[in-house]
Amino acid sequence: MKQGALSGFRICDFTGQLAGAGATKWLASFGAEVIRIEDPVRQGRWDILRGMEPFVDERRGVDMGGGFNNHNTDKYGITLNLRTERGKEILTELVRISDAVTENFAAGVLEKWGFGYEQLKAIRPDIVYVSNCGFGHEGPYSSFKTWGPIVQAISGLTFTSALPEQPPAGWGYSYMDHPGGYYMAMAIMLALIHRQRTGEGQWVDLACTEAALTLNGPALLDWSVNGRPTRQPVQPSSNRSRWPPMAPHGIYPCAGDDEWVAIACRSEDDWQALAAIIAEPWCGADDYRTLNDRLQHEDALDAELGRWTSTRQKFELQQQLEAARVPCAAVQRPQERIDQDPATENFGLWPTVTHSKMGEVRVDGQPVRFSETNWHMERGGPCLGEHTEDVLTRLLGMTPEEVGQLHEEGVL
């Protein structure tokens, strides 16, 4: 197997959940050696996904969380009790041989442990330190703690998502954990590139609320230039399109229980093609003759279209509309998307990895392809402390007996 694009980099990793662990998963999948450090006293409970569903079978515990396994493939896992002086000494040795330290604790946690940026620089002057917390380490809100839904609400994203005459619904459980992880992965790699070029390390202070704010770009621009609010007080946009204006544009019910299809008419040609397939009198009504007419009567249009789609199978409808070049896609359930969609069947998006306790499990791959240094996933997420002996003997020169003694002393 070829060397990964990031082979040769070592990451001393304190990240958890998805906003952090999702970032270092990218690095590990491209060959970086990511050493995940966890607390033996709390039994991995900093990362609550360790023991959370989904599960592969009836077994439960800190090594059986499906989400944790998914976000931590090909990482090494060790335990280290930083309440002890020996634990701090071992961490110091690991930092000295690492290229980056990564974490997504609340602001100031590493500094409280004695490993803030100044202390890390004293250990290794060119260290790259990347922190990812809700509001960053500076400013009036830096002491506030967040989760993905809080970040979404404070940044304004939650406000943009609502059904007509309903309060904001948000963007799912922790949407910003995903983009937050992507931003963090980019930040780590950019800082490492800078270090390669100049020999200079640095602290990258990432604020997830600021990352979220960037996703409001078109709405902020429209308000700044045109004075238009993101959502009109009476008629929130829901799945409708305002930039550019399109109608119909939405998700419509299909035959069956909770089955849906997405349809978007970008132009008059799209609308005429759709109307020809529907072939019902209402399509020719004056209310729907032009785009402006359809936008003015969008509620009625969506109701008519939803009535028509509700008697049809979603995949059959998708094929019919695609043949007429009308933008359309069936809303797929996970099994349909992963196992039955021919568009993703050969792209390797859901590889199978081997977990030490779960066995073979499918996980999320990476949505990119490198012709020469592609990503690779083989091992599942580490069980708690699974690689402690391997890392300490292989990298720090300890003997198995020394490691065993450290376990007895509560250091590991």
Side-chain angles (χ1 to χ4, degrees):
M1 186 176 65
K2 291 184 177 181
Q3 288 267 303
L6 297 176
S7 293
F9 288 105
R10 181 176 295 125
I11 313 298
C12 186
D13 187 30
F14 288 93
T15 62
Q17 285 81 46
L18 176 56
T24 52
K25 176 182 178 178
W26 274 88
L27 308 186
S29 69
F30 280 96
E33 183 181 29
V34 178
I35 301 173
R36 183 186 170 88
I37 299 171
E38 297 181 85
D39 183 359
V41 177
R42 296 187 64 191
Q43 289 290 294
R45 294 299 182 184
W46 142 240
D47 194 333
I48 60 174
L49 297 184
R50 264 200 166 278
M52 286 182 63
E53 58 185 7
F55 303 108
V56 295
D57 51 35
E58 72 284 349
R59 290 175 295 170
R60 303 293 182 265
V62 295
D63 293 327
M64 304 307 296
F68 178 89
N69 178 57
N70 183 62
H71 307 329
N72 290 281
T73 51
D74 289 281
K75 300 178 186 178
Y76 295 89
I78 74 171
T79 53
L80 200 55
N81 187 351
L82 297 178
R83 301 169 188 81
T84 66
E85 286 305 312
R86 185 65 180 118
K88 292 180 179 179
E89 291 171 1
I90 293 172
L91 177 57
T92 298
E93 295 177 57
L94 284 174
V95 170
R96 189 169 287 121
I97 60 172
S98 296
D99 299 287
V101 175
T102 54
E103 54 97 354
N104 63 309
F105 294 122
V109 170
L110 247 61
E111 188 168 12
K112 189 184 302 182
W113 292 349
F115 290 91
Y117 180 53
E118 294 303 320
Q119 291 89 347
L120 293 173
K121 272 204 308 183
I123 298 169
R124 176 164 180 164
D126 66 346
I127 195 71
V128 167
Y129 170 42
V130 183
S131 57
N132 177 2
C133 59
F135 293 94
H137 284 67
E138 296 183 3
Y141 303 129
S142 60
S143 63
F144 289 12
K145 298 176 182 178
T146 63
W147 292 94
I150 298 173
V151 168
Q152 289 145 219
I154 291 174
S155 67
L157 292 175
T158 299
F159 180 75
T160 66
S161 176
L163 295 172
E165 300 179 4
Q166 296 293 323
W171 286 15
Y173 70 111
S174 281
Y175 175 87
M176 271 312 300
D177 277 328
H178 294 263
Y182 303 150
Y183 275 75
M184 186 177 186
M186 288 188 286
I188 297 167
M189 289 185 282
L190 288 168
L192 289 173
I193 290 172
H194 174 79
R195 197 192 71 169
Q196 277 192 316
R197 290 192 352 233
T198 68
E200 180 182 44
Q202 61 186 307
W203 177 9
V204 181
D205 186 11
L206 172 61
C208 212
T209 49
E210 300 300 314
L213 191 62
T214 67
L215 303 181
N216 284 302
L220 295 174
L221 179 63
D222 196 39
W223 171 258
S224 300
V225 175
N226 301 313
R228 282 195 296 253
T230 301
R231 283 173 39 215
Q232 302 298 322
V234 178
Q235 186 65 52
S237 63
S238 183
N239 288 309
R240 295 171 179 173
S241 176
R242 293 292 178 262
W243 305 292
M246 296 185 230
H249 185 286
I251 311 296
Y252 302 93
C254 288
D257 180 26
D258 197 25
E259 303 287 3
W260 303 82
V261 67
I263 298 174
C265 287
R266 306 158 299 177
S267 63
E268 289 302 318
D269 288 343
D270 288 345
W271 166 245
Q272 293 301 328
L274 176 61
I277 292 173
I278 296 172
E280 292 189 3
W282 63 266
C283 294
D286 289 342
D287 287 351
Y288 311 136
R289 192 169 303 279
T290 68
L291 173 60
N292 187 61
D293 293 329
R294 294 193 296 276
L295 290 170
Q296 293 298 316
H297 301 91
E298 206 161 3
D299 286 342
L301 174 62
D302 282 345
E304 291 281 17
L305 184 53
R307 179 188 58 78
W308 181 77
T309 60
S310 66
T311 62
R312 288 158 172 78
Q313 298 294 326
K314 64 183 182 183
F315 288 114
E316 293 176 4
L317 183 56
Q318 173 182 291
Q319 292 177 351
Q320 186 180 17
L321 296 185
E322 283 181 345
R325 305 186 68 81
V326 176
C328 171
V331 177
Q332 299 188 47
R333 299 174 186 275
Q335 184 176 0
E336 294 168 336
R337 181 73 173 91
I338 295 172
D339 294 327
Q340 299 164 15
D341 189 339
T344 58
E345 182 178 1
N346 297 318
F347 204 71
L349 283 179
W350 289 279
T352 297
V353 300
T354 302
H355 185 272
S356 299
K357 292 185 178 179
M358 299 182 204
E360 293 191 344
V361 185
R362 295 181 78 179
V363 295
D364 293 337
Q366 306 293 22
V368 295
R369 276 286 189 239
F370 283 41
S371 64
E372 303 302 324
T373 54
N374 201 29
W375 56 268
H376 178 75
M377 293 180 191
E378 184 175 285
R379 291 184 286 108
C383 295
L384 185 64
E386 179 177 353
H387 304 105
T388 302
E389 181 173 317
D390 169 63
V391 168
L392 298 189
T393 56
R394 177 169 53 88
L395 298 181
L396 300 186
M398 294 185 186
T399 65
E401 292 73 24
E402 288 175 315
V403 174
Q405 182 64 35
L406 292 172
H407 272 294
E408 290 182 12
E409 295 171 0
V411 174
L412 306 175

